[in-house]
Amino acid sequence: MVEITEIPVDGYECVKRAIDPASGLHAYISVHSTVLGPALGGMRLWPYSSEQDALTDVLRLSRGMTYKAACAGLDLGGGKSVIIGDPSMKSEAFFEAMGEFVESFGGSYITAEDVNTKVEDMGIVARKSSHVVGLAGKSGNPSPKTAWGVFLGLKATLEEVFGSDSVAGKVVAIEGAGSVGSIYADYIAKEGGKILVADIRPESAERVATATGGEVVSPDAIRSVECDVYAPCALGGSINDETIPQLKCKAICGAANNQLLEDRHGDQLRDLGIRYAPDYVVNAAGLINVFDEMMPGGYNEERALRNMDKIRANMRAIFAISNEEGISTAAAADRFAERRMAEAQQTNA
Ligand code: NAD
């Protein structure tokens, strides 16, 4: 029997904790907002050192999903689930209990794979809940779509900085030659851009450099290398007090989540004249892709790609807000999302 308890949190629609002694499940689900639609967000499995850490993370991540969906123009709210533990705890009973937990939201929360959970795990969750997306045979691997969306964001960023969206001759320094970074590099190279690439796994960086005719740079040097665009495609927090003074780029556009260590780092970039493409705006194509599964008639790749095109227009709108209101692009993105939510609230009232 899964014990589910609601935890009231100011500013959040519904936060619950689940404990299932039989399977060892200890998890939280947070629905931050359903103003625009049901709250979609992945199911993360992580060895949090305390309950408080898990709760803090699920609140932060679910709020982030609200803003990401709102900016992407999707009729979706923001939610997230986190499970305390590591992949060795996985069992069928564990994910079936999680399915019951997801189902207890009656559709206001929709889940998907995330860090340390896989498509197969979601198949088990789906035995107990119909509110699961990204299952096998549907919208597929999100990484190529995410890379395409970041590339569209890059085009809008180049247009803002150089007055032309042409990638030809531009030098892009990619940190992280993983699933997204490697494909992003391909798109850039195909249009004549020059790739500098770093990865803590040297063979991954070599592979991308060879495929794109680019050059490998050490992970220690990638943030201070002379380039047009720095593209964080590894972990979050790479834009911080230590790295900002080292940057020699004109713009930042990459896939990694939570690139700014703190909000104030967005203001510092603005003061330095470095144009930052907010991460959650340009890396939303995976979300746009999986959302398409929920459309009448099911997943349609052409329609999903058309919706991803909006990333360019959204970036233009965010640069315009930033320029007109004299605020950072990160703050402008939040404002863009909040305006859309306020309009929806007025319409619903
Ligand atoms: P990935 O694990 O496939 O690739 C990350 C790469 O970064 C790995 O090759 C890793 O070795 C490298 N790396 C780690 N630390 C590094 C460092 N300090 N310096 C250089 N390289 C380092 O992950 P991914 O799926 O490509 O995702 C990349 C980022 O984009 C993550 O922050 C992820 O949260 C975000 N993101 C991914 C998607 C998606 O669809 N995959 C969607 C939205 C956001």
Side-chain angles (χ1 to χ4, degrees):
M1 179 74 187
V2 185
E3 295 160 24
I4 299 175
T5 323
E6 189 159 347
I7 305 166
V9 181
D10 274 353
Y12 288 74
E13 283 183 22
C14 185
V15 182
K16 293 190 207 177
R17 179 181 58 210
I19 293 184
D20 179 39
S23 66
L25 180 78
H26 185 172
Y28 290 88
I29 295 180
S30 166
V31 168
H32 171 252
S33 166
T34 57
V35 167
L36 294 170
L40 174 61
M43 183 181 291
R44 180 166 293 197
L45 175 60
W46 195 255
Y48 293 102
S49 49
S50 69
E51 283 206 25
Q52 189 53 50
D53 281 359
L55 183 59
T56 303
D57 207 32
V58 79
L59 296 178
R60 178 181 70 87
L61 292 166
S62 61
R63 186 175 181 279
M65 290 304 295
T66 298
Y67 280 76
K68 183 167 181 164
C71 261
L74 302 175
D75 291 334
L76 279 181
K80 199 83 183 181
S81 43
V82 302
I83 307 172
I84 302 175
D86 63 59
S88 67
M89 298 179 72
K90 287 185 184 184
S91 68
E92 295 207 2
F94 185 87
F95 282 113
E96 284 188 355
M98 204 53 205
E100 280 180 43
F101 189 22
V102 171
E103 193 58 24
S104 76
F105 283 80
S108 65
Y109 171 65
I110 300 168
T111 200
E113 66 168 309
D114 199 82
V115 177
N116 285 330
T117 61
K118 296 193 164 17
V119 170
E120 306 88 76
D121 302 327
M122 291 306 113
I124 305 171
V125 174
R127 289 180 197 158
K128 298 287 181 183
S129 175
S130 50
H131 306 295
V132 186
V133 291
L135 294 168
K138 300 266 178 92
S139 62
N141 177 4
S143 301
K145 300 294 192 301
T146 300
W148 177 244
V150 181
F151 182 67
L152 295 174
L154 173 70
K155 292 268 211 180
T157 305
L158 293 176
E159 195 176 72
E160 169 73 13
V161 177
F162 297 100
S164 154
D165 72 357
S166 172
V167 180
K170 294 292 179 294
V171 179
V172 183
I174 298 186
E175 176 178 84
S179 313
V180 180
S182 59
I183 304 173
Y184 182 38
D186 282 342
Y187 288 130
I188 295 165
K190 271 194 197 111
E191 289 205 11
K194 162 112 201 252
I195 300 296
L196 304 176
V197 58
D199 199 293
I200 48 168
R201 296 183 197 138
E203 66 284 4
S204 301
E206 280 295 346
R207 206 175 312 120
V208 168
T210 306
T212 59
E215 276 173 44
V216 173
V217 173
S218 84
D220 291 340
I222 194 77
R223 295 165 185 176
S224 56
V225 77
E226 195 88 45
C227 62
D228 292 300
V229 181
Y230 163 54
C233 295
L235 305 178
S238 73
I239 301 167
N240 54 49
D241 287 337
E242 193 192 327
T243 58
I244 288 176
Q246 299 173 25
L247 292 171
K248 293 193 193 71
C249 57
K250 299 178 184 70
I252 299 175
C253 181
N257 281 314
N258 305 315
Q259 292 169 26
L260 303 177
L261 190 60
E262 293 174 37
D263 290 348
R264 66 186 172 84
H265 294 123
D267 301 324
Q268 284 181 24
L269 291 176
R270 183 179 168 273
D271 294 344
L272 289 170
I274 297 174
R275 299 307 265 159
Y276 165 64
D279 45 19
Y280 72 77
V281 181
V282 296
N283 75 12
L287 180 66
I288 296 170
N289 197 49
V290 82
F291 170 74
D292 203 82
E293 289 182 16
M294 295 162 59
M295 302 290 271
Y299 181 67
N300 176 316
E301 188 177 21
E302 260 178 55
R303 180 179 54 206
L305 285 166
R306 271 200 310 278
N307 277 330
M308 288 168 208
D309 282 343
K310 290 182 194 152
I311 290 176
R312 268 180 91 143
N314 295 343
M315 276 309 308
R316 285 191 191 120
I318 287 162
F319 283 129
I321 295 172
S322 161
N323 294 338
E324 281 157 23
E325 302 186 21
I327 56 175
S328 73
T329 49
D334 287 356
R335 212 161 272 188
F336 184 68
E338 282 157 8
R339 281 182 192 161
R340 200 175 156 236
M341 287 187 273
E343 278 164 24
Q345 260 165 334
Q346 266 174 356
T347 314
N348 297 341

